């Protein structure tokens, strides 16, 4: 966990949105709403909402209803912070002196004292020691002493986190692209960390406000924030129907298997917890990984359900929450499931570590049966056709730094809200937030209104959306949704190129094709692509020639195969290497090796070429200090 000063926020991504002064101010206002300093009821929040000091103008009844929504449960401080951010986004007038923390944190003069939660540092160090202990490249730094700050020294060359990313999502990084020698120079460390951050982004991590220099310096709060996301992705990778078809047991007579398929892993994990608690007659529903688990009661019941032979309900007889938490973890140890948590983490409501513990418990002992596994496995296969595009666009959306995090693409866009956020990121001011409907939205026509506004805004950007209506998105038309998102992703890439335009006009697909071919030709290489559909691209050779042409140091030709078409292993090796080298260079690449090898996918290939072009022209633009240099740039794309 990372936080600033004295107000602790367990979610590092949420913490990064505020300065410590803002957190103290908001904490004071939160505490003024209720009798408890930890949790307020939904009624206390609604009654005190209009009296909050940071709200400049009186709220209308409609605005209050929109903010309060249908919250029937209590709110902790982190939920209050999330609502505050939502109010900023929806257009509620917030006091101007509350400047965005993200801008403050970017300043080089920032002198905040960052506090690091020792439990989270220890948990992540232990996790790394456990999963990377046998890696020969890390034998000089492992095991990490979790009682010290060795963890922050161990990540400074980029190798360890890259290795951890490959544990979380195997095959993400071609380790041949890593600089592995001892005593790396500063540039080699930057390359490794650049590969690390671009790869983390590609598996779904948010790396907003994290730079290579932060990791090289071992800045504790940012290192822990990134590690928490990578480890979370790893631990939740098995919490889905494909990996655990027995999850279907949790469905009741009114629920459909499709609903479970659409749930993000975190919500599946909560549903699993509540399924067992409900069977045991537990009176409460667990809705989060923090405040709802602080008293340890749910843990005691859950362990008893999963392992009645080893875990009884005696912790419930203890009055002190800390003593109860100790007893709960002692029982977890009896079944070899005590990981990540300390008693203090439970009573303090550490969301990250509670989630990690429950995910590990699910993996070791989920208490479900697999009677219907084969039936559901066939259904899951039907969804895999869309999974590749879904993953690419979902990760791209999350990389934009939108307020809403997208866990499931098609369910995430059907109310139109995230589409509005994307468009506002791509073209600030293009969205009328006063006319937008904030989720959760029950009335279908409100969702259509959001989607119609998104389509109108996209058309004003001259995107081609023929015969696309808001109702198509609300109804979940996957083909049209993917086509819309492709247009947005392409627009984003071309806008980045437009920002460094050199001839006073927008860059076209043809410009990208011509630039890439000219770049390779001028480097002395013979390869060429006739179009973005060119089947010869499956060998990976052209892209390696292109990457070598823009930066010869990044390609080691001794590692490159001949890329003979038909030899899948050779083709895959080259394609994986292409992606890792591009990320090492500094390109944000979201396509998979399959997109290059199996069937050359022109859309994704175009984006790959465009990102390399963007990096190359950007680097040259930095060096263009005189007219001659600028002229050289003009000639390069002519």
């Amino acid at each position: 966990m990372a936080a600033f000063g004295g107000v602790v926020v367990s979610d590092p991504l949420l913490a990064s949105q505020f300065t410590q002064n803002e957190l103290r101010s908001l904490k004071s206002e939160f505490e003024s709403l209720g009798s408890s300093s930890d949790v307020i009821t939904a009624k206390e929040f609604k009654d005190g909402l209009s009296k909050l000091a940071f709200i400049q103008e009186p709220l209308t009844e409609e605005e209050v209803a929109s903010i309060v929504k249908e919250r029937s449960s209590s709110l902790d401080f982190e939920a209050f912070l999330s609502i505050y951010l939502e109010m900023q986004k929806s257009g509620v007038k917030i006091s101007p002196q509350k400047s965005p923390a993200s801008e403050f944190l970017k300043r080089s003069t920032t002198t905040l004292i960052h506090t690091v939660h020792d439990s989270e540092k220890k948990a992540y160090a232990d996790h790394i020691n456990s999963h990377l202990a046998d890696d020969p490249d890390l034998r000089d730094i492992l095991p990490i002493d979790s009682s010290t700050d060795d963890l922050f020294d161990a990540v400074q060359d980029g190798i360890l986190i890259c290795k951890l990313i490959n544990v979380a999502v195997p095959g993400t990084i071609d380790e041949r692209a890593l600089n592995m020698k001892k005593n790396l120079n500063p540039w080699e460390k930057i390359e490794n960390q650049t590969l690390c951050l671009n790869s983390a982004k590609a598996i779904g991590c948010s790396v907003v406000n994290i730079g290579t220099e932060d990791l090289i310096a071992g800045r504790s709060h940012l290192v822990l924030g990134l590690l928490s996301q990578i480890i979370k992705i790893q631990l939740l990778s098995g919490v889905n129907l494909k990996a655990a078809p027995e999850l279907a047991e949790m469905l009741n007579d009114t629920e459909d298997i499709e609903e479970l398929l659409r749930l993000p892993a975190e919500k599946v994990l909560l549903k699993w917890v509540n399924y067992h608690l409900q069977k045991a007659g537990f009176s409460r529903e667990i809705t989060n990984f923090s405040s709802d688990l602080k008293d340890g009661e749910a843990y005691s019941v859950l362990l008893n359900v999963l392992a009645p032979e080893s875990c009884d309900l005696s912790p419930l007889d203890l009055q002190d929450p800390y003593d109860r938490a100790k007893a709960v973890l002692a029982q977890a140890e009896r079944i070899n499931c005590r990981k990540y948590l300390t008693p203090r983490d439970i009573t303090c409501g550490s969301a990250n570590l509670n989630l990690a513990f429950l995910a590990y418990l699910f993996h070791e002992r989920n208490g479900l049966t697999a009677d219907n596994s084969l039936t559901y496995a066939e259904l899951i296969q039907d969804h895999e056709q869309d999974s590749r595009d879904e993953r690419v666009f979902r990760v791209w959306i999350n990389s934009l730094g939108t307020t809403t995090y997208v866990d499931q693409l098609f369910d995430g866009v059907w109310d139109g809200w995230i589409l509005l956020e994307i468009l506002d990121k791509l073209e600030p001011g293009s969205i009328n937030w006063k006319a937008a409907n904030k989720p959760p939205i029950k009335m279908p026509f409100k969702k259509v209104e959001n989607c119609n506004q998104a389509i109108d805004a996209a058309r004003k950007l001259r995107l081609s959306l023929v015969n696309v209506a808001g109702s198509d998105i609300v109804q979940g038309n996957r083909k049209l949704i993917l086509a819309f998102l492709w247009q947005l992703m392409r627009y984003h890439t071309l806008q980045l190129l437009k920002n460094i335009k050199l001839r006073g006009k927008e860059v076209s697909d043809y410009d990208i094709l011509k630039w890439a071919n000219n770049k390779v030709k001028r480097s002395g290489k013979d390869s060429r692509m006739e179009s973005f559909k060119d089947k010869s691209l499956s060998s990976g050779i052209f892209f390696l020639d292109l990457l070598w042409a823009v930066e010869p140091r990044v390609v080691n030709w001794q590692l490159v195969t001949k890329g003979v078409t038909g030899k899948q292993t050779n083709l895959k090796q080259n394609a994986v290497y292409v992606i890792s080298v591009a990320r090492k260079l500094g390109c944000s690449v979201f396509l998979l090796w399959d997109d290059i090898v199996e069937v050359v996918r022109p859309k994704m290939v175009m984006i790959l070429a465009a990102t390399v072009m963007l990096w190359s022209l950007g680097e040259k633009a930095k060096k263009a200090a005189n007219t001659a240099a600028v002229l050289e740039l003009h000639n390069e794309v002519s």
Side-chain angles (χ1 to χ4, degrees):
M1 173 175 64
F4 309 114
V7 180
V8 176
V9 177
S10 64
D11 184 343
L13 295 180
L14 187 60
S16 69
Q17 303 298 311
F18 301 93
T19 67
Q20 181 58 202
N21 287 337
E22 287 175 325
L23 286 174
R24 279 195 290 266
S25 175
L26 290 170
K27 180 69 171 178
S28 177
E29 294 210 42
F30 172 77
E31 292 176 346
S32 71
L33 294 177
S35 56
S36 168
S37 62
D38 295 326
V39 178
I40 57 174
T41 65
K43 183 177 186 306
E44 288 172 333
F45 175 64
K46 182 177 181 180
D47 292 345
L49 181 59
S50 298
K51 302 174 185 177
L52 290 169
F54 59 72
I55 296 179
Q56 276 188 298
E57 298 178 0
L59 298 173
T60 64
E61 291 184 8
E62 184 178 340
E63 286 176 323
V64 171
S66 175
I67 295 168
V68 173
K69 305 170 191 173
E70 295 184 356
R71 296 182 183 275
S72 57
S73 59
S74 58
L75 285 79
D76 60 12
F77 180 54
E78 294 191 17
F80 178 75
L81 291 178
S82 297
I83 293 171
Y84 174 85
L85 293 175
E86 290 173 6
M87 285 192 285
Q88 279 187 319
K89 190 70 174 177
S90 63
V92 173
K93 296 292 185 182
I94 303 295
S95 299
Q97 65 267 26
K98 308 283 185 196
S99 58
S102 58
E103 291 302 314
F104 177 78
L105 292 173
K106 291 176 185 176
R107 302 174 193 167
S108 59
T109 55
T110 299
T111 56
L112 294 176
I113 298 176
H114 302 290
T115 60
V116 177
H117 196 294
D118 286 338
S119 290
E120 197 153 332
K121 179 181 69 175
K122 180 181 184 305
Y124 299 158
D126 290 344
H127 180 95
I128 290 168
N129 289 338
S130 173
H131 288 86
L132 294 172
D134 297 328
D135 194 307
D137 297 319
L138 301 175
R139 59 178 176 268
D140 291 339
I141 61 173
L142 295 184
I144 296 169
D145 186 348
S146 59
S147 66
T148 69
D149 285 342
D150 287 354
L151 174 62
F152 308 118
D153 295 328
V155 304
Q156 291 179 8
D157 62 8
I159 297 173
L160 187 147
I161 300 185
C162 284
K163 296 274 190 178
L164 188 63
I165 288 172
N166 271 351
V167 171
V169 183
T172 299
I173 296 173
D174 187 335
E175 294 184 7
R176 296 176 299 170
L178 279 169
N179 300 310
M180 290 285 204
K181 69 179 185 181
K182 290 185 178 181
N183 302 318
L184 299 178
N185 63 43
W187 183 255
E188 290 168 330
K189 289 182 181 180
I190 290 173
E191 285 185 333
N192 281 354
Q193 298 292 13
T194 301
L195 174 57
C196 166
L197 288 176
N198 279 313
S199 300
K201 187 161 53 172
I203 66 171
C205 298
S206 173
V207 297
V208 177
N209 293 332
I210 304 178
T212 56
E213 68 281 0
D214 299 314
L215 299 181
I216 292 172
R219 294 195 174 105
S220 55
H221 65 296
L222 296 176
V223 170
L224 289 184
L226 181 58
L227 290 177
S228 70
Q229 294 182 76
I230 296 169
I231 292 172
K232 175 182 170 183
I233 288 169
Q234 177 190 343
L235 292 173
L236 291 178
S237 63
V239 187
N240 57 71
L241 267 175
K242 182 177 179 180
E246 60 268 26
L247 281 166
E249 180 189 323
M250 302 189 304
L251 296 173
N252 58 39
D253 294 337
T254 64
E255 294 175 315
D256 190 271
I257 189 71
E258 293 278 352
E259 296 179 43
L260 192 55
L261 279 167
R262 291 196 298 262
L263 280 181
E266 288 181 64
K267 291 186 178 180
V268 172
L269 193 61
L270 285 175
K271 186 177 181 68
W272 169 75
V273 171
N274 285 310
Y275 172 74
H276 285 304
L277 293 180
Q278 186 178 20
K279 282 202 308 183
F282 192 64
S283 59
R284 289 189 288 116
E285 179 183 7
I286 303 303
T287 61
N288 56 62
F289 295 101
S290 53
S291 58
D292 286 357
L293 297 169
K294 284 183 176 181
D295 60 13
E297 293 180 355
Y299 275 142
S300 181
V301 175
L302 179 62
L303 289 172
N304 176 249
V305 172
L306 297 177
E309 72 286 355
S310 303
C311 306
D312 57 32
L313 295 174
S314 59
L316 296 177
D317 297 330
L318 301 172
Q319 297 302 310
D320 183 74
Y322 185 81
D323 290 339
R324 188 182 304 127
K326 285 171 59 179
V328 162
L329 292 181
Q331 294 200 343
E333 193 161 12
R334 294 177 195 167
I335 57 173
N336 298 317
C337 288
R338 178 170 182 169
K339 290 201 70 171
Y340 304 107
L341 278 178
T342 67
R344 184 63 63 196
D345 298 323
I346 296 177
T347 58
C348 290
S350 175
N352 287 339
L353 297 182
N354 277 318
L355 183 148
F357 171 75
L358 286 170
Y360 182 78
L361 186 62
F362 174 88
H363 179 268
E364 294 297 312
R365 191 183 287 252
N366 65 33
L368 303 172
T369 58
D371 294 341
N372 298 316
S373 297
L374 293 177
T375 302
Y376 292 120
E378 294 174 0
L379 176 61
I380 294 167
Q381 288 177 359
D382 295 337
H383 286 254
E384 292 183 348
Q385 186 65 35
D386 290 328
S387 64
R388 189 184 300 172
D389 285 333
E390 190 275 343
R391 176 199 167 280
V392 168
F393 290 123
R394 171 171 48 82
V395 173
W396 168 71
I397 292 169
N398 291 332
S399 76
L400 297 175
T402 53
T403 302
T404 305
Y405 187 87
V406 180
D407 285 296
Q408 298 288 331
L409 182 70
F410 298 112
D411 282 350
V413 303
W414 73 327
D415 62 13
W417 183 262
I418 188 60
L419 296 176
L420 297 177
E421 285 197 56
I422 295 169
L423 284 156
D424 194 49
K425 283 284 184 183
L426 302 188
E427 197 68 35
S430 62
I431 300 303
N432 178 7
W433 289 107
K434 284 290 186 181
N437 304 294
K438 175 73 176 174
I441 307 169
K442 285 194 171 181
M443 303 301 292
F445 76 91
K446 293 288 187 182
K447 300 175 185 177
V448 174
E449 285 179 357
N450 280 355
C451 293
N452 281 338
Q453 184 183 175
I455 291 170
D456 290 342
R459 284 177 175 151
K460 289 177 182 177
L461 300 180
R462 299 182 181 179
L463 302 189
S464 177
L465 296 170
V466 180
N467 297 326
V468 179
S471 57
D472 295 320
I473 297 173
V474 174
Q475 291 168 11
N477 187 316
R478 295 190 174 209
K479 183 177 179 180
L480 291 178
I481 290 172
L482 291 175
F484 189 10
L485 290 172
W486 156 245
Q487 293 263 351
L488 293 175
M489 186 176 185
R490 178 180 180 276
Y491 177 84
H492 178 228
T493 304
L494 296 182
Q495 279 298 102
L496 293 174
L497 284 167
K498 182 181 177 181
N499 290 337
I500 55 173
K501 64 184 179 182
L502 305 170
R503 293 177 294 170
K505 74 179 188 69
E506 296 183 16
V507 177
S508 67
D509 293 10
Y510 175 74
D511 290 326
I512 298 169
L513 179 71
K514 185 177 179 180
W515 173 86
N517 280 325
N518 286 343
K519 195 71 179 175
V520 171
K521 183 178 180 180
R522 287 176 183 149
S523 72
K525 298 288 186 178
D526 296 328
S527 61
R528 176 181 176 82
M529 64 172 167
E530 297 302 324
S531 72
F532 295 121
K533 298 179 181 179
D534 193 331
K535 299 298 183 184
S536 68
L537 295 175
S538 64
S539 71
I541 298 298
F542 177 82
F543 287 114
L544 289 168
D545 284 344
L546 179 60
L547 290 164
W548 181 82
V550 299
E551 181 51 76
R553 290 186 313 98
V554 297
V555 178
N556 182 350
W557 289 106
Q558 294 180 345
L559 303 176
V560 179
T561 71
K562 293 182 179 180
V564 179
T565 303
K567 293 187 177 181
Q568 185 80 359
T569 302
N570 288 350
L571 296 178
K572 178 181 177 180
Q573 286 178 347
N574 281 358
V576 171
Y577 189 55
V578 165
I579 293 170
S580 289
V581 168
R583 288 174 180 158
K584 176 180 178 178
L585 194 64
C587 303
S588 293
V589 178
F590 300 106
L591 82 170
L592 303 174
W593 68 268
D594 317 57
D595 298 324
I596 299 174
V597 171
E598 289 185 357
V599 179
V600 175
R601 304 181 71 206
K603 292 179 179 180
M604 296 304 169
V605 166
M606 189 279 282
I607 292 291
L608 174 59
T611 55
V612 178
M613 180 181 181
L614 177 64
W615 182 89
S616 178
L617 297 184
E619 288 298 299
K620 285 185 175 291
K622 293 175 185 177
K623 301 173 184 177
N626 53 57
T627 305
V630 174
L631 181 60
E632 179 187 349
L633 281 174
H634 280 261
N635 292 335
E636 185 165 337
V637 294
S638 298

